[in-house]
């Protein structure tokens, strides 16, 4: 089957935003105007096709990334609609890893909100070019210029409006196109009939001022445009689009559009912006990877005749086909029925079917090409972040790192039959979501599930009960504390067991020291073969095993460096297991000497309240061991920014509603782990 669209006419984009900025609504309009839908679904009615999960339709929020594609202006646009809630930030992160461009949607009233900043930093990390859409221009409190200024201040970017709204709130009438110098208004409620006409006199001065601001920014990126601007020569729309595209692809500027997706205004112009300003797969740098054989750097050009390289970025359990693996093809061609090599798992598997996705609907295809996003059926041993490649041209692409969970819940099956269902369900959900972790507490006999927040675990539990029909008792959410050390120490352990036959012998000396948010590092500093190489990795395994349960309250140890500096072995009695046990014992002994510290997750909290309740909110934040970092005024509301321990935030939604008569709202996201006060440490230690 030949390629439908040349690579330069393909766009792989994502839509990202803070919760409730109108992301899914915008996607529904894009699909309607592109002819992919014949009726626009609404989030608040639970009829949005991109929010297909029961949990999404009931709550009116996006939980999982949904992929689709459409055609616009002879271009194929592959779209991933991502969640806005901070608990599901991993869905955004793994989508950004495989996208070439992003449409970031901002609420014209809320502006740059906390999750907007998180998404922006994630896009910065992967160097993804962006355009911005300021949505909800017809809502009370909408302020286009304020949002543009917030983008400049909070995101450290160069926003370049290519449009301006005509009016705002209930007086929002249409859009000024600053590039083509046109006024655009809408004749019908569906937004399918537009009128483009000359700028009326009463808007002419504003258009000239804003267009000059646009030209002034772009003049810094092109000498010809600079010359024409300084000499006040006419500058064509095509010249502006060319320079703006180059600057956008270089991540120097962000074109800004505006409209109201819910009332069907501005979405077609946004689609034009996707085509005009976001990159095709050939306009982004070639994907980099490493050779699994020797660790050398490799590059794959985006071309069909290159060896196959693809990244699995999402796993989805499907009740009809089993495991569905979403992947992005970076080079080569992937055919249904062919074999692929998983360079992470070092195994070969057959892809039985390849499908293009439209939310939870699938269209079977015989092959996909470089630059395509699709899904595979038939892969059994594939996880998020695995590389699929040609066995004769192996490569490992950059993996997708998952943040650590910050909240735990204990769950117990009610019957033996439920236990089997629970294991199956947890295995499927953990495959799908790298931020969801499962552990078994041998002391209590409970299964502990960990996630990114209360809503995250609520959705997980709801899916277990509904999809997997599990009968279970669920405990209350608990904070996922961590442990670390505050000073260097060392320990020497000689492990000897004599049982009549062959004994067990291992002797290790380790040194430990704190690392600044550095995770974990194990250094082999053995000299002269005091411990054979084959035993050293088992010492490391024992160290890691001991780190899982800490020494203070049973929580995992983080942020420490372990150096194996000395030891010896017995030619007969030494074994893998002996060195693993010795490594575990040495780590626990060294940590106990190193003044261990309990760490608690601390959250960035943003509370939006009317002025009348500001004092009560500030007092309440302080009572929760919170530190107020900023206080902003926006119209008739106040925005309190604070840093608060997660353990103090359980039930805050109910308290805030009560304090503000239902008029206050808040968001929070994980910031970092910090040492907990002595009183908290003692309390947690007693509970465990």
């Amino acid at each position: 089957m030949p390629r439908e669209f040349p690579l330069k006419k393909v766009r792989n984009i994502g839509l990202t935003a803070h919760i409730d900025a109108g992301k899914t609504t915008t996607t529904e309009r894009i699909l309607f105007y592109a002819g992919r839908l014949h009726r626009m679904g609404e989030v608040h009615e639970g009829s949005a096709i991109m929010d297909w999960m029961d949990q999404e339709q009931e709550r009116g929020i996006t939980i999982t990334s949904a992929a689709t594609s459409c055609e616009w202006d002879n271009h194929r646009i592959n779209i991933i609609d991502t969640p806005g809630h901070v608990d599901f930030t991993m869905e955004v992160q793994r989508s950004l890893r495989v996208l070439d461009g992003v449409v970031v949607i901002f609420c014209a009233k809320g502006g740059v909100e906390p999750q907007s900043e998180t998404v922006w930093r994630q896009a910065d990390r992967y160097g993804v070019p962006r355009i911005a859409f300021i949505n909800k221009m017809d809502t009370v409190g909408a302020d286009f210029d304020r949002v543009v200024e917030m983008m400049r201040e909070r995101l450290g970017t160069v926003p370049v409006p290519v449009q301006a709204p005509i009016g705002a709130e209930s007086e929002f009438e249409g859009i000024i196109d600053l590039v083509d110098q046109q006024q655009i208004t809408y004749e019908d409620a569906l937004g399918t009939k537009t009128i483009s006409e000359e700028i009326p006199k009463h808007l002419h001065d504003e258009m000239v001022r804003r267009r000059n601001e646009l030209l002034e920014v772009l003049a810094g990126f092109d000498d010809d445009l600079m010359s024409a601007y300084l000499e006040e020569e006419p500058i064509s729309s095509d010249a502006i689009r060319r320079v703006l595209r180059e600057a956008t692809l270089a991540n120097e500027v962000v074109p800004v559009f505006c409209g109201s997706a819910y009332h069907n205004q501005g979405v077609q112009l946004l689609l034009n912006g996707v085509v005009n300003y976001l990159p095709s797969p050939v306009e982004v740098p070639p994907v980099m990877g490493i050779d699994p054989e020797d660790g050398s750097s490799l590059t794959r050009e985006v071309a069909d005749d290159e060896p196959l390289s693809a990244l699995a970025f999402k796993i989805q359990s499907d009740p009809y086909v089993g495991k569905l693996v979403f992947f992005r093809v970076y080079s080569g061609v992937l055919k249904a029925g062919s074999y692929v090599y998983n360079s992470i798992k070092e195994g070969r598997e057959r892809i039985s079917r390849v499908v293009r996705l439209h939310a939870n609907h699938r269209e079977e295809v015989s092959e996909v090409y470089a630059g395509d996003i699709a899904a595979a059926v038939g892969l059994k041993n594939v996880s998020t972040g695995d590389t699929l490649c040609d066995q004769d041209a192996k490569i490992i692409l950059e993996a997708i790192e998952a943040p650590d969970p910050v909240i735990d819940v204990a769950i117990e099956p009610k019957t033996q039959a439920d236990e089997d269902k629970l294991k199956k369900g947890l295995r499927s959900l953990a495959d799908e979501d790298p931020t969801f972790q499962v552990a078994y507490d041998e002391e209590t006999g409970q299964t502990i599930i960990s996630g990114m927040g209360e809503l995250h675990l609520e959705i997980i539990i709801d899916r277990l009960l509904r999809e997997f029909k599990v009968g279970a008792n669920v405990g209350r959410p608990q904070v996922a504390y961590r442990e670390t050390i505050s000073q260097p120490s060392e320990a020497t352990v000689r492990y000897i067991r004599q049982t009549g036959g062959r004994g067990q012998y291992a002797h290790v000396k380790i040194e430990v020291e704190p690392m600044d948010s550095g995770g974990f590092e194990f250094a082999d500093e053995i000299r002269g073969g005091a411990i054979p190489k084959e035993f050293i990795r088992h010492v490391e395994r024992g160290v890691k095993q001991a780190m899982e349960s800490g020494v203070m309250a049973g929580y995992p140890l983080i942020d420490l460096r372990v150096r194996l500096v000395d030891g010896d072995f017995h030619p007969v009695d030494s074994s893998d297991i002996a060195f693993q046990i010795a490594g575990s014992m040495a780590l626990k002994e060294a940590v106990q000497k190193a003044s261990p510290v309990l760490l608690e997750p601390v959250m960035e909290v943003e509370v939006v309240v009317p002025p009348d309740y500001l004092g009560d909110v500030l007092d309440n934040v302080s009572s929760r061991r919170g530190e107020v970092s900023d206080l902003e005024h926006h119209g008739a509301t106040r925005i309190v920014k604070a840093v608060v321990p997660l353990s103090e935030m359980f039930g805050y939604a109910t308290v805030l509603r009560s304090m503000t008569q239902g008029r206050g709202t808040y968001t929070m996201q994980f910031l970092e782990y910090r040492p907990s006060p002595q009183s908290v440490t003692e309390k947690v230690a007693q509970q465990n």
Side-chain angles (χ1 to χ4, degrees):
M1 184 178 77
R3 178 188 278 280
E4 287 183 77
F5 292 86
L7 269 170
K8 65 179 182 179
K9 288 187 175 290
V10 173
R11 301 288 184 271
N12 291 317
I13 68 163
L15 274 72
T16 64
H18 186 86
I19 191 169
D20 205 30
K23 195 168 24 23
T24 300
T25 300
T26 304
T27 308
E28 295 286 318
R29 271 47 179 182
I30 286 173
L31 296 175
F32 175 77
Y33 294 126
R36 192 70 198 256
L37 296 181
H38 301 294
R39 176 185 176 275
M40 288 180 276
E42 302 296 352
V43 173
H44 63 278
E45 294 175 0
S47 59
I49 193 165
M50 300 302 283
D51 284 349
W52 55 270
M53 291 173 65
D54 292 340
Q55 292 83 359
E56 293 177 314
Q57 293 170 359
E58 290 167 1
R59 292 166 174 81
I61 62 171
T62 302
I63 291 168
T64 184
S65 301
T68 187
S69 63
C70 64
E71 296 174 18
W72 183 260
D73 191 22
N74 296 317
H75 286 69
R76 156 74 51 79
I77 302 177
N78 297 316
I79 302 170
I80 297 181
D81 175 32
T82 64
H85 196 285
V86 67
D87 282 14
F88 308 104
T89 189
M90 181 61 192
E91 287 288 321
V92 184
Q93 184 169 321
R94 61 181 171 186
S95 299
L96 287 172
R97 171 67 180 81
V98 299
L99 293 171
D100 300 324
V102 174
V103 178
V104 184
I105 299 175
F106 298 98
C107 171
K109 177 183 177 182
V112 178
E113 297 171 280
Q115 185 63 1
S116 311
E117 295 185 55
T118 301
V119 167
W120 200 271
R121 287 195 296 269
Q122 290 171 330
D124 280 341
R125 177 185 173 190
Y126 293 117
V128 184
R130 278 144 275 181
I131 63 177
F133 180 60
I134 298 178
N135 191 26
K136 301 189 178 184
M137 281 305 309
D138 52 356
T139 58
V140 176
D143 188 335
F144 178 82
D145 291 322
R146 173 180 170 269
V147 180
V148 171
E149 190 56 35
M150 289 177 78
M151 289 177 64
R152 185 176 287 110
E153 291 177 357
R154 291 193 182 182
L155 304 177
T157 189
V158 181
V160 181
V162 294
Q163 297 176 347
I166 302 172
E169 301 181 341
S170 60
E171 297 177 1
F172 176 63
E173 299 174 359
I175 294 164
I176 299 173
D177 186 329
L178 301 175
V179 177
D180 290 324
Q181 302 182 77
Q182 293 281 308
Q183 171 183 273
I184 297 164
T185 52
Y186 294 83
E187 274 192 312
D188 64 332
L190 282 177
T192 55
K193 298 177 182 176
T194 59
I195 302 173
S196 297
E197 53 194 351
E198 287 189 14
I199 304 291
K201 287 183 179 179
H202 72 282
L203 294 174
H204 187 266
D205 289 347
E206 180 186 358
M207 187 278 295
V208 170
R209 174 182 65 81
R210 289 184 181 274
R211 194 169 195 265
N212 282 337
E213 290 173 354
L214 166 65
L215 293 172
E216 190 174 329
V217 173
L218 295 184
F221 299 100
D222 186 85
D223 292 341
D224 292 338
L225 197 147
M226 169 76 82
S227 176
Y229 175 66
L230 292 176
E231 294 175 17
E232 298 184 358
E233 296 175 0
I235 299 173
S236 70
S237 301
D238 287 343
I240 292 175
R241 276 190 280 268
R242 175 183 61 79
V243 177
L244 187 54
R245 179 178 180 80
E246 290 171 0
T248 304
L249 298 192
N251 269 317
E252 299 286 351
V253 302
V254 177
V256 181
F257 297 77
C258 65
S260 169
Y262 181 62
H263 288 110
N264 312 313
Q265 297 182 340
V267 177
Q268 298 102 315
L269 301 175
L270 178 64
L271 272 168
N272 291 338
V274 168
V275 168
N276 290 334
Y277 304 121
L278 290 180
S280 70
V282 293
E283 291 171 306
V284 297
V287 68
M288 301 289 292
I290 60 170
D291 187 327
E293 304 292 341
D294 58 17
S296 60
S297 295
L298 295 174
T299 302
R300 290 282 188 269
E301 299 290 337
V302 184
D304 297 340
D305 55 3
E306 283 268 305
L308 173 68
S309 66
L311 185 75
F313 68 94
K314 179 179 168 68
I315 310 296
Q316 183 177 307
S317 297
D318 188 284
Y320 303 106
V321 300
K323 198 172 185 177
L324 202 59
V325 178
F326 292 56
F327 61 88
R328 158 77 188 261
V329 182
Y330 284 98
S331 63
V333 178
L334 195 153
K335 298 181 180 181
S338 65
Y339 283 87
V340 294
Y341 182 77
N342 184 333
S343 56
I344 302 294
K345 302 287 196 310
E346 299 182 350
R348 191 164 167 261
E349 286 195 71
R350 182 176 179 272
I351 291 180
S352 58
R353 287 190 287 150
V354 177
V355 294
R356 290 194 186 279
L357 298 152
H358 181 46
N360 63 332
H361 302 288
R362 293 175 291 279
E363 171 195 346
E364 197 162 330
V365 294
S366 60
E367 56 190 6
V368 286
Y369 303 89
D372 281 345
I373 292 175
V377 179
L379 296 173
K380 300 287 191 295
N381 190 30
V382 174
S383 305
T384 298
D386 284 0
T387 300
L388 307 176
C389 61
D390 189 323
Q391 190 166 2
D392 297 326
K394 297 173 186 172
I395 187 173
I396 296 178
L397 304 178
E398 181 190 351
I400 300 171
E401 293 182 9
D404 290 331
V406 296
I407 190 167
D408 298 338
V409 162
I411 184 167
E412 294 177 336
K414 291 182 177 177
T415 66
Q416 183 62 46
D418 287 325
E419 184 173 350
D420 296 335
K421 292 178 187 176
L422 179 64
K423 286 178 180 176
K424 180 184 176 184
L426 292 175
R427 193 162 49 245
S428 293
L429 295 174
D431 275 349
E432 287 187 19
D433 185 352
T435 61
F436 171 61
Q437 295 181 6
V438 182
Y440 184 73
D441 189 328
E442 293 186 3
E443 290 184 13
T444 63
Q446 292 177 318
T447 298
I448 308 296
I449 59 176
S450 306
M452 299 303 295
E454 289 181 90
L455 179 61
H456 186 200
L457 290 184
E458 181 187 317
I459 299 296
I460 292 285
I461 291 164
D462 192 36
R463 291 186 63 189
L464 284 170
L465 301 180
R466 286 200 207 183
E467 290 178 32
F468 298 95
K469 306 292 190 292
V470 177
N473 298 314
V474 181
R476 296 181 61 185
Q478 303 289 329
V479 176
Y481 293 98
R482 295 290 183 266
E483 297 178 21
T484 192
I485 57 175
S486 57
Q487 65 184 44
S489 76
E490 62 179 46
T492 301
V493 167
R494 198 180 300 271
Y495 177 72
I496 304 172
R497 286 290 181 274
Q498 204 65 44
T499 55
R502 178 180 169 181
Q504 297 283 356
Y505 179 89
H507 172 210
V508 300
K509 179 181 180 181
I510 65 169
E511 295 177 354
V512 299
E513 62 185 21
M515 291 175 66
D516 293 333
S517 300
F520 167 70
E521 185 179 300
F522 181 86
D524 170 17
E525 297 185 3
I526 292 295
R527 298 290 177 266
I531 299 177
K533 287 288 184 187
E534 63 265 26
F535 292 140
I536 290 174
R537 61 191 176 95
H538 292 282
V539 176
E540 181 179 1
R541 185 176 296 171
V543 165
K544 288 180 177 177
Q545 192 176 44
M547 286 178 63
E548 291 175 5
S549 57
V551 299
M552 298 179 67
Y555 292 101
L557 279 156
I558 61 171
D559 300 343
L560 75 160
R561 180 182 291 109
V562 179
R563 294 199 298 269
L564 177 60
V565 296
D566 200 3
D568 64 61
F569 72 105
H570 189 280
V572 176
D573 290 349
S574 287
S575 64
D576 297 348
I577 191 66
F579 275 97
Q580 184 172 327
I581 292 170
S584 177
M585 292 169 63
L587 190 278
K588 290 193 173 184
E589 184 179 320
V591 168
Q592 284 170 340
K593 296 178 188 174
S595 300
V597 176
L598 186 72
L599 300 174
E600 61 180 350
V602 174
M603 315 300 284
E604 281 184 318
V605 180
E606 187 169 291
V607 189
V608 181
V609 293
D612 297 350
Y613 308 105
L614 180 61
D616 291 341
V617 168
L618 290 173
D619 288 344
N620 188 262
V621 167
S622 297
S623 72
R624 295 171 181 268
R625 296 194 285 127
E627 300 172 9
V628 176
S629 55
D630 199 5
L631 182 59
E632 294 181 5
H633 296 230
H634 172 46
T637 61
R638 301 292 181 266
I639 301 172
V640 178
K641 293 185 175 182
V643 176
V644 189
L646 174 61
S647 60
E648 303 290 345
M649 291 301 295
F650 289 126
Y652 185 64
T654 304
V655 173
L656 182 63
R657 279 196 297 269
S658 175
M659 274 193 301
T660 62
Q661 297 182 3
R663 296 169 65 192
T665 60
Y666 85 102
T667 56
M668 71 175 182
Q669 60 185 358
F670 174 68
L671 174 62
E672 62 185 359
Y673 275 97
R674 291 183 181 175
S676 62
Q678 187 62 31
S679 58
V680 173
T681 301
E682 291 172 358
K683 182 180 176 183
V684 172
Q686 287 172 1
Q687 290 174 347
N688 290 272

PDB file of all heavy atoms in Angstrom, residues 59 84 132 188 225 257 265 314 366-367 472 553 562 613 655:
ATOM      1  N   ARG A  59     -17.030  12.001  34.965  1.00  0.00           N
ATOM      2  CA  ARG A  59     -16.388  13.114  35.667  1.00  0.00           C
ATOM      3  C   ARG A  59     -16.187  14.332  34.790  1.00  0.00           C
ATOM      4  O   ARG A  59     -15.830  15.402  35.288  1.00  0.00           O
ATOM      5  CB  ARG A  59     -15.027  12.659  36.228  1.00  0.00           C
ATOM      6  CG  ARG A  59     -15.143  11.643  37.356  1.00  0.00           C
ATOM      7  CD  ARG A  59     -13.815  10.973  37.645  1.00  0.00           C
ATOM      8  NE  ARG A  59     -13.867  10.102  38.810  1.00  0.00           N
ATOM      9  CZ  ARG A  59     -14.344   8.873  38.807  1.00  0.00           C
ATOM     10  NH1 ARG A  59     -14.825   8.358  37.682  1.00  0.00           N
ATOM     11  NH2 ARG A  59     -14.362   8.143  39.914  1.00  0.00           N
ATOM     12  N   GLY A  84      -5.590  16.884  31.443  1.00  0.00           N
ATOM     13  CA  GLY A  84      -5.150  18.150  32.031  1.00  0.00           C
ATOM     14  C   GLY A  84      -4.910  18.050  33.525  1.00  0.00           C
ATOM     15  O   GLY A  84      -4.279  18.924  34.107  1.00  0.00           O
ATOM     16  N   ALA A 132      -0.004  28.428  20.575  1.00  0.00           N
ATOM     17  CA  ALA A 132      -0.925  28.591  21.707  1.00  0.00           C
ATOM     18  C   ALA A 132      -2.300  29.008  21.206  1.00  0.00           C
ATOM     19  O   ALA A 132      -2.420  29.769  20.237  1.00  0.00           O
ATOM     20  CB  ALA A 132      -0.377  29.628  22.679  1.00  0.00           C
ATOM     21  N   ASP A 188     -23.008  31.502  11.278  1.00  0.00           N
ATOM     22  CA  ASP A 188     -23.900  30.493  11.848  1.00  0.00           C
ATOM     23  C   ASP A 188     -23.351  29.967  13.170  1.00  0.00           C
ATOM     24  O   ASP A 188     -22.174  30.125  13.491  1.00  0.00           O
ATOM     25  CB  ASP A 188     -24.101  29.339  10.866  1.00  0.00           C
ATOM     26  CG  ASP A 188     -22.796  28.591  10.590  1.00  0.00           C
ATOM     27  OD1 ASP A 188     -21.731  29.232  10.687  1.00  0.00           O
ATOM     28  OD2 ASP A 188     -22.842  27.384  10.284  1.00  0.00           O
ATOM     29  N   LEU A 225      13.248  40.816   6.169  1.00  0.00           N
ATOM     30  CA  LEU A 225      12.065  41.362   6.838  1.00  0.00           C
ATOM     31  C   LEU A 225      12.448  42.565   7.696  1.00  0.00           C
ATOM     32  O   LEU A 225      11.711  43.556   7.749  1.00  0.00           O
ATOM     33  CB  LEU A 225      11.395  40.274   7.679  1.00  0.00           C
ATOM     34  CG  LEU A 225       9.959  40.551   8.123  1.00  0.00           C
ATOM     35  CD1 LEU A 225       9.165  39.246   8.191  1.00  0.00           C
ATOM     36  CD2 LEU A 225       9.893  41.227   9.480  1.00  0.00           C
ATOM     37  N   PHE A 257      -3.023  32.147  18.993  1.00  0.00           N
ATOM     38  CA  PHE A 257      -4.330  32.244  18.360  1.00  0.00           C
ATOM     39  C   PHE A 257      -5.388  32.446  19.448  1.00  0.00           C
ATOM     40  O   PHE A 257      -5.101  32.303  20.644  1.00  0.00           O
ATOM     41  CB  PHE A 257      -4.636  30.967  17.577  1.00  0.00           C
ATOM     42  CG  PHE A 257      -3.692  30.711  16.435  1.00  0.00           C
ATOM     43  CD1 PHE A 257      -2.410  30.212  16.663  1.00  0.00           C
ATOM     44  CD2 PHE A 257      -4.069  30.976  15.132  1.00  0.00           C
ATOM     45  CE1 PHE A 257      -1.532  29.986  15.623  1.00  0.00           C
ATOM     46  CE2 PHE A 257      -3.201  30.756  14.076  1.00  0.00           C
ATOM     47  CZ  PHE A 257      -1.926  30.264  14.318  1.00  0.00           C
ATOM     48  N   GLN A 265     -15.773  29.054  17.353  1.00  0.00           N
ATOM     49  CA  GLN A 265     -15.115  30.205  16.737  1.00  0.00           C
ATOM     50  C   GLN A 265     -13.598  30.082  16.870  1.00  0.00           C
ATOM     51  O   GLN A 265     -13.081  29.934  17.977  1.00  0.00           O
ATOM     52  CB  GLN A 265     -15.600  31.507  17.400  1.00  0.00           C
ATOM     53  CG  GLN A 265     -17.084  31.747  17.198  1.00  0.00           C
ATOM     54  CD  GLN A 265     -17.554  33.068  17.803  1.00  0.00           C
ATOM     55  OE1 GLN A 265     -16.892  33.625  18.666  1.00  0.00           O
ATOM     56  NE2 GLN A 265     -18.687  33.564  17.350  1.00  0.00           N
ATOM     57  N   LYS A 314       2.834   3.786  24.810  1.00  0.00           N
ATOM     58  CA  LYS A 314       1.633   3.610  25.629  1.00  0.00           C
ATOM     59  C   LYS A 314       1.102   2.190  25.443  1.00  0.00           C
ATOM     60  O   LYS A 314       1.123   1.660  24.335  1.00  0.00           O
ATOM     61  CB  LYS A 314       0.566   4.635  25.201  1.00  0.00           C
ATOM     62  CG  LYS A 314      -0.763   4.551  25.951  1.00  0.00           C
ATOM     63  CD  LYS A 314      -1.693   5.640  25.435  1.00  0.00           C
ATOM     64  CE  LYS A 314      -3.123   5.447  25.905  1.00  0.00           C
ATOM     65  NZ  LYS A 314      -3.295   5.629  27.339  1.00  0.00           N
ATOM     66  N   SER A 366      -2.401  -2.346   6.566  1.00  0.00           N
ATOM     67  CA  SER A 366      -1.415  -3.393   6.297  1.00  0.00           C
ATOM     68  C   SER A 366      -0.014  -2.969   6.702  1.00  0.00           C
ATOM     69  O   SER A 366       0.823  -3.820   7.037  1.00  0.00           O
ATOM     70  CB  SER A 366      -1.439  -3.764   4.815  1.00  0.00           C
ATOM     71  OG  SER A 366      -1.139  -2.635   4.011  1.00  0.00           O
ATOM     72  N   GLU A 367       0.272  -1.655   6.697  1.00  0.00           N
ATOM     73  CA  GLU A 367       1.597  -1.182   7.071  1.00  0.00           C
ATOM     74  C   GLU A 367       1.553   0.289   7.442  1.00  0.00           C
ATOM     75  O   GLU A 367       0.642   1.019   7.040  1.00  0.00           O
ATOM     76  CB  GLU A 367       2.607  -1.417   5.935  1.00  0.00           C
ATOM     77  CG  GLU A 367       2.206  -0.784   4.618  1.00  0.00           C
ATOM     78  CD  GLU A 367       3.092  -1.249   3.468  1.00  0.00           C
ATOM     79  OE1 GLU A 367       3.928  -2.130   3.676  1.00  0.00           O
ATOM     80  OE2 GLU A 367       2.928  -0.716   2.355  1.00  0.00           O
ATOM     81  N   ALA A 472     -13.326  -6.147  46.519  1.00  0.00           N
ATOM     82  CA  ALA A 472     -12.147  -5.823  47.337  1.00  0.00           C
ATOM     83  C   ALA A 472     -12.500  -4.828  48.432  1.00  0.00           C
ATOM     84  O   ALA A 472     -13.441  -4.041  48.316  1.00  0.00           O
ATOM     85  CB  ALA A 472     -11.043  -5.244  46.456  1.00  0.00           C
ATOM     86  N   ALA A 553      11.056   3.452  59.025  1.00  0.00           N
ATOM     87  CA  ALA A 553       9.626   3.164  59.064  1.00  0.00           C
ATOM     88  C   ALA A 553       9.201   2.265  57.915  1.00  0.00           C
ATOM     89  O   ALA A 553       8.017   2.182  57.588  1.00  0.00           O
ATOM     90  CB  ALA A 553       8.840   4.479  59.016  1.00  0.00           C
ATOM     91  N   VAL A 562      26.333   4.419  47.059  1.00  0.00           N
ATOM     92  CA  VAL A 562      26.942   3.284  47.759  1.00  0.00           C
ATOM     93  C   VAL A 562      28.211   2.882  47.011  1.00  0.00           C
ATOM     94  O   VAL A 562      28.182   2.653  45.792  1.00  0.00           O
ATOM     95  CB  VAL A 562      25.967   2.088  47.825  1.00  0.00           C
ATOM     96  CG1 VAL A 562      26.631   0.910  48.530  1.00  0.00           C
ATOM     97  CG2 VAL A 562      24.685   2.484  48.552  1.00  0.00           C
ATOM     98  N   TYR A 613     -12.761  35.721  51.564  1.00  0.00           N
ATOM     99  CA  TYR A 613     -12.350  34.513  52.276  1.00  0.00           C
ATOM    100  C   TYR A 613     -10.835  34.364  52.344  1.00  0.00           C
ATOM    101  O   TYR A 613     -10.332  33.337  52.803  1.00  0.00           O
ATOM    102  CB  TYR A 613     -12.955  33.271  51.595  1.00  0.00           C
ATOM    103  CG  TYR A 613     -14.449  33.377  51.387  1.00  0.00           C
ATOM    104  CD1 TYR A 613     -14.971  33.628  50.116  1.00  0.00           C
ATOM    105  CD2 TYR A 613     -15.332  33.247  52.452  1.00  0.00           C
ATOM    106  CE1 TYR A 613     -16.338  33.743  49.919  1.00  0.00           C
ATOM    107  CE2 TYR A 613     -16.707  33.352  52.260  1.00  0.00           C
ATOM    108  CZ  TYR A 613     -17.202  33.601  50.993  1.00  0.00           C
ATOM    109  OH  TYR A 613     -18.550  33.715  50.808  1.00  0.00           O
ATOM    110  N   VAL A 655     -12.947  21.011  52.961  1.00  0.00           N
ATOM    111  CA  VAL A 655     -12.708  22.142  53.862  1.00  0.00           C
ATOM    112  C   VAL A 655     -12.776  23.463  53.099  1.00  0.00           C
ATOM    113  O   VAL A 655     -13.372  24.444  53.561  1.00  0.00           O
ATOM    114  CB  VAL A 655     -11.328  21.999  54.553  1.00  0.00           C
ATOM    115  CG1 VAL A 655     -10.982  23.247  55.359  1.00  0.00           C
ATOM    116  CG2 VAL A 655     -11.317  20.766  55.445  1.00  0.00           C
TER     117      VAL A 655
END
